[in-house]
Amino acid sequence: MADRVMPRHRALAALSAGIGLTLLLTSCGSGLSGHGDDKTIVGLVTKTNDNPFYVKMREGAQKKARQLGVDLRTFAGKGQADNDSQVKAIENLVAAGAKGILITPADSGAIIPAIDRARKAGVMVVALDSPTEPASAVDATFATDNRLAGRMIGKWAKARMAGKRPRVALLDLSSEQVKVDVLRDQGFLEGFGVDVRNPNRIGDERDSRIVGHEVTGANEEGGRDAMEKLLQKDGSINLVYTINEPTAAGAYQAVKAAGKQKDITIVSVDGGCPGVKNVAGGVIGATSMQFPVKMAADGLAAVAAHTKDGGKGSGSSGQGFTNTGVSLITDTPVSGLDSQKSDWGLRHCWG
Amino acid sequence: MVHDTLPPTAADPPTTRPQARGALARGQAALHTKPLLGPLIVLLLASLFFSVWVGSRFSDPLNISLIVQQVQIIGMVGIAQTLIVLTAGIDLSVGAITVLASVVMGKLAVDHGLPVPLALLLGVVIGGVCGGLNGVLVTRFRIPPFIATLGTLSVFSALTLFYSRSETIRAQDVPPLLSWPGRSINVLGTDVTYSSLMMIGCFAAVAYLLRGTAWGAHLHAVGDNREGARLSGIRTGRVLLSVYVVAGLICGLAAWFLIGRIGSVSPQAGENLNLQSITAVVIGGTSLFGGRGHVLGTLLGSLIVGVFSSGLALSGVDALWQVFTVGVLVIVAVAADQWIRKVAA
């Protein structure tokens, strides 16, 4: 029996050592934050850790935080729709005494109660990248106008397809009608001149030019699978809308395998450096560039200004939507539509 | 684990059963002795159904070739998963190993300028090392496979993101040899990719290893009754460790196929591979309780998912129905497994 008791002692010892260590670490942690008590704590909560868009946004925020002398704490969810992790991140930041929180909401509606609690606790909350629903739930929003981003590539595509009979494939993010997915998809169709019926719903259009919608998970693999399925459904596709540039790169692999790269035009949204290089290389016809680093930097500056004002909102706060801009990047400009060439895009792309 | 509650003879053929009482019982017995029969019937019925519903666009050789291409990564990772499931384990990290190996191949070849064959080899080796780590956690530290691989799933994913800085290597920058599995040759008038052929080769090779070698027999014995296997002189720890290493190496090879398929090297690829591989294994008729099943069932399982996905997409059905259907298939497959087991009860 003795040999059975021993492990229990060991387990107890390990447990108490663990608890001791945790206490030590937490006290160190609070000691550290106490040490830097003159620094304002600001949180950045992104949707994921792995998407380059959010990685660049985080890097931009860290750079700006160093300039402003702000203690930036970053958190991320585990997926495009992981509300739970974001709620926890907000709660932890409020508990840590943060003065401001920048968040890219994964679920623009479900996050509201957590944001309300934070604001009641005196924290300034700023939405980045996508607005909350309602937008007035936060103090300010710095985001791409995603509907506009979609409209720009839609208008460009319309001009490019003039004189041809368009056969359109749409490669979306998911079946869940995620806000940013809806805005870009419907914006594209509006720009292209399709009656979108319900502008807040993907896939309810009745337009013979549309071959079909497929979901991709917004990555290369999904883009390739979806494009193959749609090409198999209708080989006469000549225009492809993609939710983002990785999807476009995957779709291009399917197009190339089918030997149709001369006949098919691909448009996209994002403005990541690999995507802009694909514009330069003729893989993507046009893309709408967003500016995540600017979103983060402007959002952080707004929070810093707000805290200096002593709680009074500065000009940039106060429930406003600040459009951080969209630029159309293409090497084949069309008349009547402002655009930038890919060399400009390469100087301004984000990762 | 679960198989401890079953009598040691649970998976033996029903030689002592009384004569079958009617067609249903005969079918049940046939499905028990031939684990490939069930998934094969489902695959044929589904193909027939979609050929009628969708028409010639579904059954043309190009679409068949596309279905095989679309399931090749799931199929490869599914081989690794089958090996682990046959030992009454489960591996939640197979997808993460595959993506890590692909990023290692891409970074070494493109960013560090290593000769491509060496980069490829090192990527496959990394897969084996990751599998070996899982094996050590399971055999030496006696951590249940579910927990061990749940942990390494996060570890490998984080390493992938650290190493790649979340950045994708574009298709245009990837050397031809790395994307070679994605190229195709003409077989009987249809373009077939090298990776599709290699995947089928891998299935055949592993099927032989499982059925025709002592290693395969030991693996089945360990999965069916680990204690019994130990008592009969099998070094169960060593067998288990080797299974995890082989599974890791197969994931490393799947990484090469993944690059061939998507052209670029993306740290965000394959995020659903873990669950998809388990789905393919289960639909393929391999029992999650270990010991019973066939690796070729996994090939059929992934093809079944591919056929449903392609058929529903071609008929213009909402993508959510694809998700729904796969869920129903999984439940039906496990229910069928339980029903077939009754034959030996």
Side-chain angles (χ1 to χ4, degrees):
Chain A
M1 285 310 278
D3 60 326
R4 287 213 173 169
V5 178
M6 266 308 285
R8 198 172 292 167
H9 277 306
R10 265 187 225 152
L12 262 179
L15 188 67
S16 33
I19 293 172
L21 194 65
T22 314
L23 285 174
L24 192 70
L25 284 174
T26 32
S27 62
C28 278
S30 56
L32 275 176
S33 61
H35 182 67
D37 55 1
D38 52 328
K39 271 194 175 180
T40 309
I41 299 175
V42 179
L44 172 68
V45 185
T46 50
K47 286 188 199 177
T48 66
N49 255 328
D50 54 359
N51 189 316
F53 183 86
Y54 299 116
V55 173
K56 297 305 157 195
M57 179 182 267
R58 191 177 65 212
E59 287 172 6
Q62 280 161 342
K63 196 173 159 200
K64 188 77 181 176
R66 278 194 293 276
Q67 284 173 12
L68 293 170
V70 171
D71 176 9
L72 184 77
R73 312 243 172 123
T74 58
F75 295 81
K78 291 185 189 70
Q80 293 287 335
D82 178 15
N83 182 58
D84 192 41
S85 297
Q86 294 201 325
V87 170
K88 280 183 200 141
I90 292 180
E91 287 167 352
N92 290 339
L93 281 165
V94 173
K99 290 280 185 289
I101 295 176
L102 309 168
I103 181 166
T104 66
D107 186 320
S108 45
I111 195 71
I112 303 294
I115 291 179
D116 283 346
R117 285 198 295 276
R119 290 180 72 194
K120 281 207 185 91
V123 181
M124 178 182 179
V125 181
V126 174
L128 301 181
D129 176 39
S130 32
T132 51
E133 284 176 281
S136 59
V138 289
D139 295 286
T141 302
F142 293 85
T144 304
D145 185 339
N146 277 300
R147 197 177 282 275
L148 176 66
R151 278 201 195 114
M152 287 164 82
I153 49 173
K155 281 183 185 161
W156 180 87
K158 189 180 181 184
R160 285 288 294 168
M161 300 304 285
K164 284 188 206 161
R165 183 171 157 266
R167 303 292 295 154
V168 188
L170 294 110
L171 305 191
D172 300 313
L173 167 64
S174 74
S175 300
E176 292 153 21
Q177 305 278 344
V178 177
K179 190 85 181 165
V180 59
D181 197 14
V182 174
L183 290 172
R184 289 183 190 176
D185 174 289
Q186 298 288 285
F188 165 77
L189 289 176
E190 285 165 5
F192 194 68
V194 168
D195 172 14
V196 295
R197 292 159 67 114
N198 181 350
N200 296 316
R201 193 147 190 95
I202 292 176
D204 63 344
E205 308 81 21
R206 299 277 175 276
D207 191 308
S208 60
R209 291 173 292 180
I210 297 176
V211 171
H213 295 257
E214 275 292 329
V215 298
T216 62
N219 57 41
E220 286 89 348
E221 208 180 351
R224 174 152 195 180
D225 279 3
M227 194 64 222
E228 282 172 350
K229 284 175 187 162
L230 286 168
L231 273 175
Q232 183 62 14
K233 195 173 166 189
D234 188 334
S236 66
I237 290 171
N238 51 17
L239 174 62
V240 183
Y241 153 87
T242 56
I243 174 75
N244 66 0
E245 290 148 5
T247 310
Y252 183 73
Q253 293 298 315
V255 168
K256 205 169 67 175
K260 291 179 184 290
Q261 59 268 48
K262 291 271 185 292
D263 317 321
I264 296 183
T265 302
I266 302 177
V267 293
S268 196
V269 178
D270 240 3
C273 295
V276 176
K277 281 184 197 155
N278 275 347
V279 172
V283 170
I284 297 174
T287 191
S288 286
M289 178 184 273
Q290 1 177 35
F291 301 91
V293 177
K294 183 169 163 53
M295 282 175 208
D298 288 2
L300 205 56
V303 173
H306 170 84
T307 49
K308 268 187 193 149
D309 287 351
K312 294 279 175 200
S314 67
S316 49
S317 68
Q319 309 187 351
F321 176 90
T322 307
N323 184 357
T324 47
V326 189
S327 291
L328 185 69
I329 309 290
T330 180
D331 284 338
T332 41
V334 296
S335 63
L337 204 57
D338 282 341
S339 65
Q340 301 286 351
K341 289 279 182 70
S342 58
D343 52 356
W344 182 93
L346 281 173
R347 289 196 301 276
H348 294 84
C349 62
W350 45 258
Chain B
M1 282 174 53
V2 182
H3 59 264
D4 289 344
T5 59
L6 294 170
T9 53
D12 286 349
T15 45
T16 54
R17 293 284 293 175
Q19 284 303 307
R21 296 172 302 265
L24 192 65
R26 270 202 302 278
Q28 195 179 12
L31 287 172
H32 185 264
T33 45
K34 297 185 183 68
L36 289 179
L37 197 58
L40 193 61
I41 293 171
V42 175
L43 180 62
L44 291 176
L45 285 181
S47 306
L48 194 68
F49 171 75
F50 284 114
S51 303
V52 174
W53 190 25
V54 183
S56 59
R57 223 183 287 129
F58 175 82
S59 49
D60 81 25
L62 171 65
N63 196 44
I64 308 292
S65 162
L66 279 181
I67 291 174
V68 177
Q69 282 180 48
Q70 289 179 352
V71 303
Q72 67 191 4
I73 316 291
I74 304 168
M76 282 298 286
V77 175
I79 297 177
Q81 189 69 265
T82 312
L83 292 175
I84 307 290
V85 170
L86 281 173
T87 67
I90 196 149
D91 192 337
L92 300 179
S93 69
V94 281
I97 295 177
T98 306
V99 180
L100 176 60
S102 77
V103 167
V104 167
M105 288 172 185
K107 292 284 277 187
L108 289 181
V110 179
D111 289 2
H112 303 294
L114 247 63
V116 182
L118 186 62
L120 253 174
L121 184 70
L122 286 173
V124 176
V125 168
I126 286 287
V129 170
C130 291
L133 176 67
N134 283 334
V136 168
L137 292 175
V138 171
T139 55
R140 289 254 179 274
F141 294 91
R142 306 213 168 256
I143 302 173
F146 184 90
I147 308 296
T149 57
L150 184 66
T152 54
L153 158 68
S154 298
V155 171
F156 299 152
S157 302
L159 285 177
T160 304
L161 295 177
F162 277 132
Y163 186 46
S164 66
R165 297 185 63 231
S166 297
E167 285 168 1
T168 299
I169 301 171
R170 281 191 331 143
Q172 290 82 337
D173 304 328
V174 172
L177 181 60
L178 265 189
S179 50
W180 177 83
R183 290 216 245 141
S184 51
I185 48 165
N186 200 294
V187 178
L188 305 172
T190 305
D191 284 340
V192 178
T193 56
Y194 290 113
S195 46
S196 301
L197 297 174
M198 288 198 291
M199 173 194 71
I200 291 166
C202 284
F203 268 104
V206 174
Y208 169 74
L209 278 178
L210 285 173
R211 294 283 146 169
T213 67
W215 182 76
H218 289 172
L219 183 153
H220 277 101
V222 170
D224 198 28
N225 185 338
R226 189 165 169 188
E227 187 58 18
R230 194 185 65 81
L231 289 174
S232 62
I234 296 173
R235 303 172 84 164
T236 54
R238 191 173 286 190
V239 172
L240 263 183
L241 183 61
S242 71
V243 171
Y244 278 92
V245 172
V246 171
L249 290 171
I250 294 172
C251 289
L253 209 52
W256 188 25
F257 293 15
L258 183 66
I259 298 175
R261 168 95 187 130
I262 63 176
S264 45
V265 179
S266 165
Q268 292 181 83
E271 56 180 20
N272 296 321
L273 275 177
N274 296 321
L275 291 179
Q276 285 174 332
S277 71
I278 296 170
T279 303
V281 169
V282 170
I283 294 178
T286 296
S287 170
L288 282 178
F289 308 119
R292 209 184 72 83
H294 201 298
V295 70
L296 292 180
T298 303
L299 176 60
L300 297 175
S302 37
L303 286 173
I304 290 171
V305 176
V307 162
F308 272 91
S309 162
S310 164
L312 291 172
L314 287 182
S315 49
V317 174
D318 191 285
L320 274 180
W321 286 108
Q322 296 177 29
V323 182
F324 178 93
T325 311
V326 171
V328 171
L329 281 173
V330 169
I331 293 168
V332 169
V334 177
D337 179 45
Q338 294 291 351
W339 180 69
I340 293 163
R341 274 174 172 274
K342 276 192 197 155
V343 119

